Amino acid sequence: QVQLVESGGGLVRPGGSLRLSCVASGKIGGLYAMGWYRQVVGRQREFIATSTNRDTTDYADSVKGRFTISGDFVNKTEYLQLNSLKLEDTAVYYCSAEGLGTKGSPHLYWGQGTQVTVSS
């Protein structure tokens, strides 16, 4: 069974930094992308960043220049470096891994989420 385990969340002051980690286990066929999302209660899950096995990255405008994603597709591990944190960055952060299921169709796997709280 595929499992994604996250770590690194916590409480940080505005302007501070955190580093989130995500380790995936189990068979993910055709893994081609890993990413990070965040969600606040009552709101839809928001895209943050993705990394592909073709060495491309994409970031949401709200985090460009502040967050950095890195992915290791061999070890199925990804990281998110969060710098210059703002109050509005407070959310539950989820890692994701996207591959092909047995039917050959894209399938998105999710981690359990880790809380990031930015507070003065």
Side-chain angles (χ1 to χ4, degrees):
Q1 182 70 16
V2 174
Q3 185 176 15
L4 277 63
V5 179
E6 301 163 323
S7 62
L11 176 64
V12 64
R13 302 293 188 184
S17 299
L18 286 173
R19 182 175 171 84
L20 307 183
S21 301
C22 176
V23 179
S25 61
K27 176 64 176 179
I28 303 178
L31 177 65
Y32 58 86
M34 296 184 289
W36 291 91
Y37 294 72
R38 66 188 181 188
Q39 187 170 24
V40 178
V41 174
R43 302 179 185 177
Q44 293 188 345
R45 191 164 297 185
E46 175 190 11
F47 164 79
I48 298 174
T50 55
S51 175
T52 74
N53 62 356
R54 302 188 70 178
D55 296 325
T56 61
T57 58
D58 191 23
Y59 295 91
D61 289 339
S62 60
V63 305
K64 285 182 179 178
R66 300 190 298 121
F67 294 3
T68 303
I69 187 173
S70 59
D72 181 343
F73 284 84
V74 175
N75 295 301
K76 296 183 293 186
T77 302
E78 61 180 306
Y79 304 92
L80 184 68
Q81 179 68 42
L82 300 79
N83 296 329
S84 302
L85 284 162
K86 306 175 180 179
L87 296 179
E88 52 264 42
D89 293 321
T90 296
V92 177
Y93 284 69
Y94 298 88
C95 66
S96 67
E98 189 166 3
L100 301 177
T102 57
K103 302 177 182 179
S105 301
H107 191 281
L108 187 62
Y109 302 89
W110 294 101
Q112 79 286 354
T114 184
Q115 178 71 46
V116 172
T117 302
V118 184
S119 176
S120 60

